[in-house]
Amino acid sequence: MPAIKVSDLTKRYNSFTAVDRISFEVPEGTIFGFLGPNGAGKTTTISMLCTLLRPTSGEASVNGYDCIREPSRVRESIGIVFQETTLDKDLTAFENLYYHAILYNVQRHRRKDLVRKALRFVGLYDRKDEPVKRFSGGMKRRLEVARAVVHQPRILFLDEPTLGLDPQSRTSLWEFITRLPSEEGVTVFMTTHYMDEAEVCHNIAIIDNGRIIAKGSPDELKKGIGSDLIYIKVTDKEEAVRLIRDRLSLNPLRKGEELSIPVTGGEACIPELIRTIGDLAVSVRIQRPTLNDVFLNLTGKAIREEEQDSSDTIKDSIREYRRRFDRR
Amino acid sequence: MIEGRAIHVVVAREFKKFIREKSRLFSTIARPLIWLFLVGGGLNRLVPAGDGMNYLQFFFPGIIGMTILFSAIFSAISIIWDKEFGYMKEMLVAPVSRTSIVIGKALSGTIVSTIQAGIILMLFPFLGFKLSILQIGGTLAVGFLLAFTISALGIVIATFYDSFESFSVIMNFIVMPMFFLSGAMYPVSDLPGILKFLTNINPLTYGVDALKNVIFPTGTGSMGPDFPLSLDIAVLFSLALVFTLAGTLAFRRRG
């Protein structure tokens, strides 16, 4: 049984179709990346799978439960990290997770242990009694991941989990996320518009304008758009070009100090290439197409790499101030 | 469906924050005191004593009503802050019903407000009242019912707003008029037409009137209660049911 099964799922707002008949399956214990630019329909899809939004048509099941007919069952089986923070900043890290455990029906005698385990998992156990408002953005995100797994869900949903985080926090958050399938058997469904993050997913669906335009493993998708490039540095370019053309019928191009040779089959070509040019070779490297190239190839545009700017943080603190001020 | 665990989380969380946030506790206690002594104290010299009581004594049930009004509304519109700061999503996606969340919010507002009303009530000896244990218990019971009614009303209001920009609107156009037109500050039995109408549809009127009934049951004339206690209680009880139902429906629809 797949952890998530979606067929012809559609969400329409009046005349605008946010999600247009998408279908995919996510096998249990894998990481699934839902990839696309902002506004492509990623969050809408996640909201429907989490039963926060009713689909216009189509079907979706999570952990074997129907998202429309059995929303409570679905909710019990999943953990979610939303794009925006949903922690209570006035409560401590421990309290945030403990209340979550109660809400998700964790048995009383297991609550504290599971909360502690989750806090240790993301390395925040030492700060469990501090109010969340003292945490950095990266720590809050880690805490949210911890909270989402407290009740030991079968499936974890992450909506742009690393948005607005610095590279270091991103890396450490990734470490926790990628450990989940192997250590806990959790299936991970995540959306992102960072192509490098999608590389670690087992499977990917690329969505644009509400439609899935490609599906597969990262390697499959990249193979789909064609060739790898082998870059080779040689002592004698003229001679090397001649040999490669005549004997291998490949078409090397001069690129600065190197020759670049488009090949199909990647590194399997390297031994023959070296045999052909013999002692002329100085160094060899291979460059594969990235998911960015895949996206570019499919849509004719580069995916936007946009960072959340600091104005959101400023807005937050103004709100916090006004909230306190207004209450007096 | 109503889940005890959801109510537990909502109430426990509100309580923890209430105790931790000293400024909130302070301001909700300080506001009635300022009104009682700075406004009431001044008017006490202007308004002649009548019906066997002075103005400060007349004002006292109104001040208890005010304490409950502000505290319960504040507590209920924490729903708006929960929406604004995201925590609401955490609750909405949990496997609990929205009805439980609404009831939890109403109960936490009720408990917090009743405690504050109880604190203000303890001032009675300084105002020259002699209250029996029964009257104190009765005041707290009426306070509890009023607090629940106002909390439920607050939830209905809160579901229509998504950000705290609406806060001053709620304060200036709902809360303050409710206070003024409740019989808390002046007798409302012989107000002219439209004001009389507004007074009669104001839930707080019946709360303040019930408090007067309990605190000075022998009060007569314009300073005394206007309705029998049984009517006050019946109106408050019905309104509590209506607001809870409306709040639940609105919350289910709009979040």
Side-chain angles (χ1 to χ4, degrees):
Chain A
M1 181 186 73
I4 303 173
K5 190 171 190 300
V6 170
S7 49
D8 285 329
L9 194 66
T10 302
K11 182 68 190 178
R12 247 183 246 112
Y13 296 99
N14 297 323
S15 61
F16 173 67
T17 307
V19 172
D20 196 3
R21 280 169 303 166
I22 60 171
S23 304
F24 60 86
E25 276 181 21
V26 181
E28 220 169 307
T30 62
I31 302 181
F32 184 86
F34 207 49
L35 203 60
N38 292 335
K42 302 188 299 274
T43 302
T44 309
T45 305
I46 264 199
S47 300
M48 288 192 283
L49 293 177
C50 298
T51 76
L52 277 179
L53 204 60
R54 221 187 144 77
T56 310
S57 62
E59 278 174 35
S61 73
V62 170
N63 200 23
Y65 300 115
D66 190 286
C67 290
I68 300 158
R69 285 184 292 274
E70 304 164 285
S72 297
R73 295 283 185 172
V74 171
R75 287 169 183 213
E76 277 164 11
S77 335
I78 61 177
I80 309 157
V81 178
F82 292 106
Q83 235 175 72
E84 69 275 12
T85 308
T86 60
L87 296 163
D88 188 326
K89 298 186 189 74
D90 295 323
L91 297 180
T92 66
F94 188 89
E95 286 163 350
N96 265 291
L97 268 57
Y98 191 77
Y99 286 156
H100 181 91
I102 303 176
L103 281 177
Y104 281 78
N105 231 348
V106 175
Q107 290 157 299
R108 186 183 292 268
H109 66 275
R110 297 181 67 209
R111 282 176 202 156
K112 283 196 172 134
D113 286 340
L114 286 175
V115 169
R116 291 197 191 106
K117 186 183 163 205
L119 285 167
R120 283 200 193 94
F121 179 70
V122 298
L124 286 173
Y125 186 76
D126 294 340
R127 311 193 59 170
K128 67 178 166 43
D129 295 319
E130 275 182 51
V132 171
K133 61 183 153 209
R134 282 198 225 142
F135 284 17
S136 70
M139 286 164 65
K140 280 185 199 150
R141 264 299 140 93
R142 263 151 63 198
L143 186 61
E144 286 197 281
V145 171
R147 185 179 64 178
V149 298
V150 161
H151 58 289
Q152 302 187 305
R154 301 302 308 142
I155 298 152
L156 179 65
F157 286 91
L158 302 155
D159 196 2
E160 303 269 1
T162 56
L163 193 72
L165 294 188
D166 59 85
Q168 235 176 338
S169 308
R170 265 172 81 176
T171 312
S172 75
L173 188 64
W174 264 110
E175 197 205 307
F176 301 124
I177 294 170
T178 47
R179 269 165 57 195
L180 281 168
S182 48
E183 289 180 20
E184 310 280 336
V186 175
T187 308
V188 177
F189 179 101
M190 55 167 296
T191 70
T192 184
H193 61 252
Y194 294 116
M195 291 297 170
D196 51 333
E197 292 186 345
E199 301 273 356
V200 304
C201 298
H202 299 104
N203 288 293
I204 291 173
I206 296 180
I207 183 170
D208 192 33
N209 291 323
R211 289 180 176 212
I212 290 184
I213 51 176
K215 287 187 274 209
S217 72
D219 278 342
E220 282 166 2
L221 288 175
K222 284 182 274 189
K223 270 193 198 120
I225 69 160
S227 50
D228 300 330
L229 287 174
I230 292 176
Y231 287 89
I232 186 161
K233 213 185 256 178
V234 290
T235 47
D236 183 345
K237 276 191 200 152
E238 300 302 319
E239 180 66 4
V241 168
R242 195 184 56 79
L243 285 170
I244 293 166
R245 259 196 205 136
D246 294 353
R247 297 206 192 155
L248 298 173
S249 36
L250 290 169
N251 190 23
L253 300 164
R254 290 187 184 82
K255 280 259 177 81
E257 299 214 321
E258 296 168 313
L259 299 176
S260 92
I261 311 156
V263 293
T264 46
E267 48 274 87
C269 307
I270 293 177
E272 206 186 351
L273 196 66
I274 300 296
R275 270 196 300 277
T276 312
I277 56 172
D279 290 344
L280 295 175
V282 178
S283 69
V284 187
R285 67 189 173 91
I286 183 159
Q287 189 175 325
R288 302 172 181 290
T290 64
L291 283 172
N292 239 333
D293 300 325
V294 175
F295 191 81
L296 193 70
N297 188 49
L298 286 166
T299 64
K301 63 190 179 197
I303 199 162
R304 269 206 317 257
E305 290 263 353
E306 88 185 28
E307 298 283 344
Q308 191 187 28
D309 55 273
S310 58
S311 74
D312 278 85
T313 331
I314 295 168
K315 244 191 271 168
D316 263 5
S317 46
I318 292 174
R319 281 174 184 173
E320 179 68 16
Y321 172 76
R322 290 189 53 177
R323 182 173 72 106
R324 292 179 177 282
F325 182 77
D326 277 343
R327 276 203 176 163
R328 289 199 182 131
Chain B
M1 213 176 27
I2 295 169
E3 294 91 358
R5 61 178 198 276
I7 298 176
H8 169 176
V9 166
V10 176
V11 173
R13 169 172 172 258
E14 183 75 13
F15 232 79
K16 212 155 237 172
K17 293 171 76 143
F18 175 69
I19 291 164
R20 240 168 246 176
E21 229 176 295
K22 300 283 182 287
S23 66
R24 181 176 157 197
L25 183 65
F26 176 78
S27 70
T28 40
I29 297 287
R31 182 184 293 107
L33 289 181
I34 288 171
W35 277 83
L36 181 61
F37 291 111
L38 300 192
V39 179
L43 287 172
N44 197 30
R45 304 188 66 86
L46 186 72
V47 182
D51 305 330
M53 66 175 104
N54 62 31
Y55 182 76
L56 268 182
Q57 289 174 321
F58 165 79
F59 200 15
F60 190 55
I63 285 297
I64 292 175
M66 167 191 233
T67 311
I68 291 170
L69 172 69
F70 277 85
S71 172
I73 292 272
F74 274 129
S75 192
I77 58 181
S78 67
I79 285 180
I80 300 177
W81 280 290
D82 286 344
K83 281 192 251 184
E84 180 99 1
F85 292 99
Y87 193 78
M88 185 55 77
K89 240 177 166 173
E90 153 79 357
M91 290 193 281
L92 289 181
V93 81
V96 297
S97 69
R98 298 188 174 195
T99 313
S100 316
I101 299 174
V102 169
I103 291 177
K105 279 285 177 192
L107 269 184
S108 49
T110 309
I111 298 169
V112 167
S113 315
T114 311
I115 291 172
Q116 293 183 29
I119 296 172
I120 298 296
L121 178 63
M122 289 308 123
L123 289 173
F124 73 86
F126 302 103
L127 298 169
F129 281 115
K130 286 193 179 65
L131 298 184
S132 66
I133 295 291
L134 205 66
Q135 279 176 300
I136 293 176
T139 308
L140 291 178
V142 168
F144 190 88
L145 178 59
L146 175 63
F148 190 88
T149 310
I150 302 286
S151 298
L153 171 65
I155 289 165
V156 177
I157 297 169
T159 49
F160 289 97
Y161 293 101
D162 285 332
S163 76
F164 55 70
E165 268 74 33
S166 50
F167 185 85
S168 61
V169 177
I170 296 172
M171 281 309 294
N172 291 323
F173 294 100
I174 299 175
V175 176
M176 290 315 284
M178 267 178 80
F179 170 61
F180 291 130
L181 290 171
S182 67
M185 287 193 75
Y186 44 80
V188 289
S189 43
D190 36 59
L191 286 177
I194 177 76
L195 290 184
K196 176 88 181 157
F197 170 74
L198 291 174
T199 305
N200 284 341
I201 61 163
N202 181 0
L204 190 62
T205 306
Y206 303 92
V208 170
D209 199 65
L211 291 168
K212 287 179 188 168
N213 266 315
V214 177
I215 293 174
F216 33 88
T218 55
T220 49
S222 61
M223 293 273 226
D226 296 318
F227 312 108
L229 182 60
S230 53
L231 175 76
D232 293 330
I233 300 290
V235 171
L236 287 177
F237 206 81
S238 322
L239 286 176
L241 282 180
V242 171
F243 291 149
T244 308
L245 211 64
T248 309
L249 288 178
F251 188 74
R252 285 224 298 249
R253 191 119 57 98
R254 304 176 55 102

